[in-house]
Amino acid sequence: MSKITYEIMEKITSLSSSKGWQKELNLISWNGYEPKYDIRDWDSTHTKMGKGITLSKTELQELYSALKEIFENQIEYESVNIEIELNELTEKAPAFIHELKNIMMYMNENGITLELQRDILVKKDPESSHEALSNEIEMMSIMYGEVYGKLVTFLEKLPTSNLSVFFDLLTGQRSETNKINKLKVETDILYCRGKDSNASGSYTQKGEFIVFQDSICHLEVAATAEVVTVKRKDLLEKGVLIKKGHILEFTKDYTFLSPSAAASVVLARRANGWTEWKNENGITLDFLVRG
C-alpha cells in the first residue's frame, strides 16, 4: 500500500479544539494532486490526522451558498419574531416604547455595549457610572409596570446573539457599515411578486417598510413559517388584511418594522426582504440602500 503524502498549501481556520487536536479547514495537496479544501482533525504537529472530507472549490462554494441561506433565513425569522414582540409592547404602551427608543439611542451614541444595555434595562447594571440611566429606567418601571415587566421577561430570555436584531428594530438604526445611501430610496416604489402575490410599497429612512393598500398576498402560509401565520392573524383581526377568494389583500397602507417582515407576510413564507423588494428596473432594495 503506497504511502499517502500531503502538503498544506494554506492554513485557513481552526474550527474547534479538543485534547490537543484541532479541527481545521485547510487547502491541501494530496499525493501531489491539485489542492482541495479539507476539513479534519490534526494534532499539534500536523503529523497525525483524523478522518475528514475534501471539497473542490465549486463544492465549497455550494456549501457556502447553502449555509448562507440557512443563517440568513434564521436571522430574518428572528427579526420577524422579535417584531411581533415589539408590536405587542407598542400597542399596549406607545409612550413607553417612545421613551425606550430615546434611551436606547442615547446608549448607542455613548458606546455602551449591547450586553450592558440589556443589564441597564433589566436593572442589573453593575456599573455605578450609569446611575442617571438606572434612575430613568426605575421611573419607567414604576409608570409602566406591566409593560416593563414584559420587556424584562423578553430581554432575559433573548439570546445575546439576537440583541442586535432587537435593538436595531427598536431604534431603526443600523451599524456604521450599513448606513443608508440617501439617493432616492424613499421615493422609489418597490415591488414584491411571487405566486398569487403582487405587492408594492416603500422603504423609510427609519428602516421600516410601508406596504401599500390593494397589495395582494399569497394565501397558504408555508409550514416552516409559523410566525407569519401569527402576524397575518393579527392583521386580519385588525382589518388590515381581508380574504378575497384564494388571496389576501391589504385594505390600507401598513408599516412593518422591517422589509423582511413585510415580504414574509406578502409571500406567505420566510423571506429576505432586502432581495425580494425591487424597483421597476429589478434593482433590489439591498443594492439601493447599501450599494
Side-chain angles (χ1 to χ4, degrees):
M1 182 175 181
S2 60
K3 183 179 178 181
I4 297 175
T5 62
Y6 61 90
E7 181 181 359
I8 300 177
M9 311 299 292
E10 181 182 355
K11 294 182 179 180
I12 299 174
T13 188
S14 175
L15 303 174
S16 63
S17 61
S18 177
K19 299 179 180 180
W21 287 69
Q22 298 269 356
K23 188 182 299 294
E24 299 177 355
L25 170 63
N26 298 315
L27 185 63
I28 300 178
S29 171
W30 296 94
N31 293 330
Y33 288 103
E34 181 181 353
K36 288 194 173 184
Y37 295 92
D38 182 277
I39 301 174
R40 73 183 62 241
D41 290 320
W42 293 90
D43 71 352
S44 59
T45 63
H46 286 84
T47 57
K48 295 180 180 180
M49 70 186 82
K51 292 181 179 180
I53 181 172
T54 59
L55 301 167
S56 67
K57 184 175 181 179
T58 300
E59 290 170 332
L60 189 68
Q61 288 172 332
E62 289 295 326
L63 177 60
Y64 168 77
S65 297
L67 292 175
K68 185 170 182 286
E69 182 176 353
I70 288 172
F71 287 108
E72 283 187 350
N73 283 343
Q74 181 63 26
I75 290 171
E76 297 304 334
Y77 173 78
E78 290 163 355
S79 298
V80 175
N81 201 21
I82 291 171
E83 179 189 3
I84 291 174
E85 298 281 353
L86 280 174
N87 278 343
E88 290 178 355
L89 291 175
T90 302
E91 289 175 5
K92 287 180 178 294
F96 170 79
I97 292 297
H98 179 72
E99 291 185 36
L100 186 60
K101 284 182 180 179
N102 290 337
I103 291 173
M104 294 305 309
M105 293 176 73
Y106 172 84
M107 290 196 286
N108 287 338
E109 290 168 0
N110 285 273
I112 298 175
T113 65
L114 292 176
E115 292 82 358
L116 185 52
Q117 288 183 38
R118 172 161 61 182
D119 287 344
I120 292 172
L121 288 176
V122 302
K123 296 193 288 188
K124 292 182 179 178
D125 174 24
E127 298 186 24
S128 59
S129 59
H130 300 113
E131 183 178 356
L133 278 172
S134 298
N135 289 339
E136 191 165 351
I137 296 297
E138 179 64 28
M139 288 298 298
M140 288 179 64
S141 70
I142 294 172
M143 293 175 63
Y144 306 98
E146 181 184 354
V147 178
Y148 173 76
K150 289 182 179 296
L151 174 70
V152 170
T153 299
F154 177 65
L155 286 178
E156 287 184 330
K157 70 181 181 181
L158 189 68
T160 301
S161 59
N162 289 352
L163 282 176
S164 61
V165 176
F166 173 79
F167 291 138
D168 280 353
L169 284 172
L170 177 66
T171 62
Q173 294 181 334
R174 299 189 180 275
S175 66
E176 288 297 317
T177 56
N178 286 336
K179 279 193 173 179
I180 294 171
N181 178 348
K182 296 183 179 180
L183 294 177
K184 58 170 186 174
V185 178
E186 284 199 342
T187 60
D188 269 333
I189 303 296
L190 300 170
Y191 304 91
C192 180
R193 298 186 175 103
K195 181 180 178 182
D196 294 331
S197 55
N198 189 356
S200 59
S202 64
Y203 181 71
T204 77
Q205 296 293 345
K206 293 181 180 180
E208 300 168 335
F209 198 93
I210 303 169
V211 177
F212 294 155
Q213 180 179 347
D214 298 329
S215 290
I216 295 172
C217 310
H218 184 66
L219 182 61
E220 298 297 329
V221 178
T224 56
E226 183 179 355
V227 67
V228 178
T229 300
V230 174
K231 181 62 178 176
R232 282 182 160 202
K233 182 175 183 292
D234 178 58
L235 295 179
L236 284 164
E237 290 175 351
K238 291 177 179 176
V240 176
L241 286 176
I242 58 171
K243 183 178 178 182
K244 283 190 173 181
H246 64 286
I247 55 98
L248 295 179
E249 183 176 292
F250 278 82
T251 62
K252 57 184 177 182
D253 294 356
Y254 185 82
T255 302
F256 291 85
L257 290 182
S258 71
S260 295
S264 296
V265 168
V266 169
L267 298 173
R269 57 174 172 79
R270 297 182 189 181
N272 183 345
W274 294 96
T275 55
E276 295 289 357
W277 291 102
K278 302 173 184 177
N279 68 9
E280 60 184 359
N281 296 317
I283 300 173
T284 66
L285 174 61
D286 183 73
F287 185 87
L288 290 170
V289 172
R290 298 166 177 168

